[in-house]
Amino acid sequence: MLNFELSDEQKALVDEARRFTKERIIPIAAECDRKHEFPHDVFKEAWELGFVCPNVPEAYGGAGLGEVEHVLLVEELGYGCTGIQTSITANALAATPILVAGNEEQKQKYLGSLVKEPNYAAYALTEPGAGSDAAGIQTRCVQDGDDWIITGQKCFITNGSWASWYVVFATVDPALRHKGIAAFIVDRDLAGVSVGKAEDKLGQRASDTATINFDEVRVPSSAMLAPPGEGFKVAMQTFDRTRPDIGAGACGLMRRALEESIAYALERKTFGVPIAQHQMVQQMIADMGIRYEATRLMVLKAAYQIDQGGRNSLVASMSKAFGADAAMQSAIDAVQVFGGNGYITEYPVEKLMRDAKILQIYEGTSQIQRMVIARNLFSGIRTS
Ligand code: COS
């Protein structure tokens, strides 16, 4: 049976998130963007409403929501500001490798820490020399008795400045590529962990993006999330579950671009009529609607597959690649509909265009997604 209706609980979640976005995110988004500031008080309120890491199972104190509910929520927050939404969602990114590979003790301690009080965590994979080529990381982990010593640098880490712990990927030998990679949970307050500069970004400026240094950080073996040879797969399994969230953020951004464009096109007059009556404007609006609808269906399908369990890389990457590219195009079109006004900060759409760009880059570029999609298709995996 196929059903496109949301359940009453899902509708209530969407309504609550929509109200929160309207009242608490939209009014401050432009200023947060301008000042490069994250509203921690808004994060705290989002946390109190259960919007942060809603997928932590009930056994660890969480709400135990599914990925379908999560993408619905992310879309609503993304409608207000994908920068603020990215920082809210980053905890779920950090929690996912623990959900995938953590033992009972790690789940209790670290997933529990995210739902016990407002708190940040971060996922630390990318390095200055290893972005798309994740198997090329150089951060080293060396066993020393019962401990491991981690040394290296991670960059572009969302919420890196505030995280109280990091999931860190490191290798016993870079020459082994993915076969040498392990994963650890590293507490921020350990000796040798230091936070470097926060980046000054083009868009999503409300979210924090920082460099983290690990200088001979000693962690106990209980901090190991995945042994050497298994860490890379945990990183990939994480992306399979989190890339649809990027598609969901893209849906929010696209819906905003569409609604702002419709309102403006009905108001703004040229040649004696509202620009909504010009066919070339109508075409842009129609294409924005098509992109939103197509992405939303793909994102919901990817989320549904996650909730069913099993390997889901194909549709997850499709939802991320299509959604990111669609959001970029819709944001560009929104600026075009607004004309000169679209280019100035007094109107909301130039921010959408700056914010959209990173959707095509973080959690795997649009090119990497197509690599994953093509590999899956060539190996015979289909979307259904
Ligand atoms: N689930 C489980 N295992 C997976 C997997 C997945 N989704 N994808 C790959 N693997 C496994 C492969 O099966 C292979 O295992 P075996 O050695 O047992 O055969 C291993 O992982 C290596 O896979 P592969 O050969 O595909 O690795 P590549 O080095 O070619 O890299 C890509 C694959 C490009 C897909 C990966 O590096 C990637 O996703 N890069 C982008 C990283 C990224 O998104 N960074 C952004 C960070 S911002 S949070």
Side-chain angles (χ1 to χ4, degrees):
M1 192 178 78
L2 193 57
N3 186 357
F4 288 101
E5 264 302 298
L6 299 185
S7 69
D8 288 345
E9 291 77 17
Q10 290 165 338
K11 282 181 193 158
L13 176 73
V14 168
D15 285 348
E16 199 180 12
R18 196 166 287 188
R19 182 196 53 76
F20 177 77
T21 299
K22 189 170 166 222
E23 290 174 7
R24 299 297 291 125
I25 298 184
I26 292 176
I28 56 161
E31 194 182 350
C32 290
D33 172 70
R34 208 165 32 250
K35 293 186 175 163
H36 220 287
E37 269 175 18
F38 182 69
H40 293 281
D41 54 332
V42 170
F43 177 86
K44 190 164 172 284
E45 285 173 48
W47 183 90
E48 279 158 4
L49 288 167
F51 295 166
V52 182
C53 258
N55 52 347
V56 169
E58 288 174 7
Y60 309 109
L65 296 188
E67 186 55 26
V68 167
E69 286 73 27
H70 195 224
V71 294
L72 291 170
L73 173 64
V74 171
E75 173 178 336
E76 293 308 321
L77 302 176
Y79 179 93
C81 173
T82 48
I84 295 173
Q85 167 253 305
T86 290
S87 269
I88 292 176
T89 317
N91 272 12
L93 174 62
T96 300
I98 299 177
L99 283 167
V100 166
N103 60 34
E104 207 45 36
E105 198 184 320
Q106 290 166 336
K107 287 179 178 168
Q108 288 287 354
K109 181 173 175 188
Y110 289 100
L111 298 179
S113 79
L114 296 176
V115 290
K116 206 165 69 192
E117 58 190 3
N119 195 9
Y120 300 97
Y123 179 90
L125 172 67
T126 301
E127 300 180 359
S132 290
D133 182 12
I137 59 168
Q138 301 290 315
T139 293
R140 296 295 286 264
C141 56
V142 178
Q143 191 158 19
D144 183 30
D146 278 348
D147 295 342
W148 285 81
I149 297 174
I150 300 171
T151 302
Q153 188 181 62
K154 298 290 177 179
C155 66
F156 303 147
I157 307 305
T158 301
N159 293 356
S161 302
W162 323 312
S164 55
W165 51 267
Y166 305 93
V167 171
V168 179
F169 295 87
T171 177
V172 286
D173 179 359
L176 293 175
R177 291 193 46 85
H178 74 270
K179 292 193 166 68
I181 295 176
F184 299 87
I185 309 170
V186 180
D187 290 329
R188 155 78 170 274
D189 55 11
L190 288 178
V193 179
S194 62
V195 177
K197 70 178 166 86
E199 304 295 348
D200 186 1
K201 307 191 298 281
L202 172 74
Q204 299 206 354
R205 290 166 60 84
S207 87
D208 172 66
T209 308
T211 293
I212 318 294
N213 301 302
F214 300 91
D215 184 10
E216 299 197 354
V217 178
R218 182 176 286 273
V219 296
S221 55
S222 61
M224 182 177 272
L225 189 57
E230 294 302 318
F232 184 84
K233 288 180 192 172
V234 171
M236 294 302 120
Q237 287 169 307
T238 297
F239 288 141
D240 286 347
R241 294 172 70 156
T242 58
R243 283 175 175 156
D245 294 341
I246 309 299
C251 281
L253 191 148
M254 268 187 274
R255 183 154 57 84
R256 181 75 182 277
L258 176 61
E259 290 178 9
E260 295 287 354
S261 298
I262 289 172
Y264 188 84
L266 290 169
E267 193 67 30
R268 173 76 175 178
K269 289 193 173 129
T270 60
F271 306 102
V273 293
I275 62 170
Q277 291 185 25
H278 299 313
Q279 286 188 354
M280 278 186 263
V281 172
Q282 290 172 6
Q283 181 175 12
M284 283 190 280
I285 301 284
D287 284 342
M288 288 158 102
I290 293 168
R291 284 185 215 109
Y292 167 71
E293 204 58 38
T295 306
R296 189 173 153 99
L297 287 173
M298 233 182 269
V299 166
L300 283 170
K301 180 167 180 179
Y304 169 82
Q305 287 186 343
I306 293 167
D307 288 340
Q308 300 309 303
R311 186 94 176 243
N312 68 298
S313 317
L314 180 59
V315 185
S317 279
M318 284 178 168
S319 71
K320 201 274 184 190
F322 187 86
D325 294 349
M328 189 71 242
Q329 190 56 53
S330 284
I332 290 171
D333 286 352
V335 171
Q336 194 67 19
V337 170
F338 274 66
N341 285 337
Y343 204 66
I344 60 178
T345 56
E346 205 180 313
Y347 292 83
V349 290
E350 60 81 35
K351 175 178 179 299
L352 298 180
M353 191 172 125
R354 289 186 288 104
D355 288 350
K357 187 60 209 169
I358 194 65
L359 300 172
Q360 295 178 301
I361 299 172
Y362 65 12
E363 287 209 35
T365 61
S366 293
Q367 289 71 25
I368 287 293
Q369 305 310 324
R370 285 171 172 80
M371 206 167 133
V372 173
I373 293 163
R375 283 183 186 181
N376 274 273
L377 292 173
F378 277 118
S379 68
I381 294 168
R382 295 291 177 261
T383 56
S384 56

